[in-house]
Amino acid sequence: IPTAAVASVWSAVASSTPRGQAAAAEPTALLPSRMPVHDDDRDDGHDGKRLGSAAAAASAAATAAGAVLGYTISKQSEVTAATVQGYTIDKQSEVAAPVAAAEADIVDMRARRVMLIQETILARLDSVESSLRGSTRRSALSRFPLPAGPPATSLPDDHCAMAVRLNNHLSSKGAPASSFIRVPAQYYDEDLPFRVACLKAASVHHLCKSICMENTKWKAHSECASNSNSQWYVVVVQYTARLNQQKIEKFLHGLNEGKIGKKAFHMRLAKEVDSERLTGYTHGGVTPIGLVSDIPVMISDKVLALTPDAVFWLGGGETDLKMSFQAAAFVAATDAFVVDCTY
């Protein structure tokens, strides 16, 4: 085989791959040992058959050499296609596209799995965040007293133990349920407009308080012998009005139809310890509902004259808990005396 032909084949192979470059140093090493290697490739005048056979042998040898190095080589000694590290190379030795379609499918599958896992994680995070918001809300409702803050920090609290107990009591009396609101810690340090804003009351005149009163001249065998002659009374009045003790004494004297002398009535504020013992509520949280003793109740006639619908607010059993009432329903639930007792 002419040496120049073999050399041209090896030159094409060696320029495309490191293996070819390494083998190019000894091109005759891959040729069959029985094939003679000529010093040159000159046409020495032999007949056409010999030249044809020599060309065919050269092509076969070149093809064998290219196969060893992973290339397919044509009889024109050109690289037409080769698979090198997973890529298809055309005869211009350019990278066209990844051959391993299966590997691309695996990559897509893994990407989809990653996206699915990400969506699952995000959904769980949303669930945790929602739970935390619910826990924070429940904690806020159970963290009493509330810290100081503006009126907007007041919170509805119809489901606390006190609210449930008082509403159950109202229900047993055939009265509608009340609404309960938790107020900021500084509620009693603020003025009446601030309190109105906390409760969203109709006006400052709709804010009321419950006062435990004692008849210091009372003489009987029982503290609450009768509604008309009791040592103790709970009186509901407006914050904007002033309690008149003499009016209460006059009312009680008339209630007993003169059977008890006027000097037998002397009304004053009960001591705090007595108020708590008889009502079951601490200062600031006294309410005429659910009292621990049978203390008669009075309510100012000015409260029933309120509009609209005579809805008023007063203590709800705890210092920072306030409850609303419709005046007529309050009177029916407590059997309260409606009294002109303020000025």
Side-chain angles (χ1 to χ4, degrees):
I1 302 174
T3 303
V6 175
S8 64
V9 172
W10 278 107
S11 176
V13 172
S15 64
S16 301
T17 177
R19 295 181 59 193
Q21 295 171 1
E26 295 182 10
T28 58
L30 298 176
L31 298 178
S33 58
R34 60 186 179 82
M35 290 183 180
V37 180
H38 292 269
D39 293 333
D40 54 70
D41 57 353
R42 291 176 290 106
D43 185 358
D44 54 4
H46 295 284
D47 58 52
K49 289 184 178 181
R50 180 181 176 188
L51 290 176
S53 298
S59 177
T63 301
V68 171
L69 297 175
Y71 287 84
T72 300
I73 304 173
S74 67
K75 65 182 179 179
Q76 287 80 17
S77 302
E78 293 181 354
V79 179
T80 57
T83 302
V84 180
Q85 298 179 352
Y87 290 88
T88 299
I89 303 176
D90 61 13
K91 63 182 179 179
Q92 286 79 27
S93 302
E94 294 179 355
V95 178
V99 172
E103 292 184 3
D105 291 340
I106 292 173
V107 171
D108 287 344
M109 184 183 301
R110 290 178 177 175
R112 286 193 295 270
R113 286 186 61 191
V114 169
M115 292 180 64
L116 180 61
I117 292 172
Q118 182 182 16
E119 291 175 357
T120 302
I121 291 173
L122 290 175
R124 290 180 179 177
L125 287 175
D126 289 341
S127 177
V128 170
E129 184 179 357
S130 178
S131 298
L132 287 176
R133 283 197 298 266
S135 298
T136 301
R137 179 67 175 174
R138 288 190 294 272
S139 297
L141 294 178
S142 61
R143 187 174 62 250
F144 303 129
L146 292 176
T153 60
S154 300
L155 294 173
D157 195 10
D158 294 337
H159 303 293
C160 69
M162 181 62 72
V164 171
R165 184 176 77 83
L166 295 181
N167 272 335
N168 286 341
H169 181 84
L170 290 173
S171 178
S172 69
K173 298 291 185 178
S178 291
S179 296
F180 291 79
I181 291 182
R182 292 283 177 182
V183 294
Q186 86 280 20
Y187 178 84
Y188 283 111
D189 297 327
E190 301 288 350
D191 56 17
L192 293 181
F194 178 92
R195 302 182 197 182
V196 167
C198 287
L199 303 174
K200 295 185 170 79
S203 74
V204 293
H205 304 297
H206 291 73
L207 304 180
C208 298
K209 55 186 174 180
S210 302
I211 304 172
C212 187
M213 301 289 292
E214 177 187 7
N215 179 7
T216 60
K217 298 291 186 177
W218 177 86
K219 293 179 181 179
H221 299 292
S222 175
E223 291 181 316
C224 302
S226 67
N227 287 353
S228 60
N229 185 25
S230 174
Q231 183 180 355
W232 312 95
Y233 288 90
V234 172
V235 185
V236 176
V237 296
Q238 297 163 296
Y239 272 98
T240 54
R242 294 182 61 185
L243 179 64
N244 189 316
Q245 296 167 313
Q246 288 73 28
K247 285 187 175 184
I248 294 178
E249 294 166 1
K250 182 179 179 180
F251 171 79
L252 291 174
H253 180 260
L255 189 63
N256 286 276
E257 299 177 346
K259 296 178 181 178
I260 301 176
K262 292 182 180 180
K263 293 184 179 181
F265 299 100
H266 181 261
M267 305 303 295
R268 71 171 180 84
L269 294 177
K271 296 177 181 178
E272 188 171 331
V273 63
D274 288 327
S275 175
E276 187 172 343
R277 173 179 62 87
L278 295 165
T279 65
Y281 305 115
T282 58
H283 179 70
V286 177
T287 182
I289 307 300
L291 300 170
V292 296
S293 58
D294 294 327
I295 306 178
V297 178
M298 297 181 181
I299 184 170
S300 170
D301 59 347
K302 292 183 175 60
V303 176
L304 273 75
L306 291 171
T307 56
D309 301 324
V311 174
F312 64 97
W313 290 84
L314 75 166
E318 297 175 4
T319 304
D320 61 339
L321 187 63
K322 307 304 170 187
M323 62 190 301
S324 65
F325 284 103
Q326 199 281 331
F330 174 85
V331 171
T334 59
D335 294 324
F337 297 112
V338 179
V339 183
D340 176 14
C341 58
T342 60
Y343 59 90

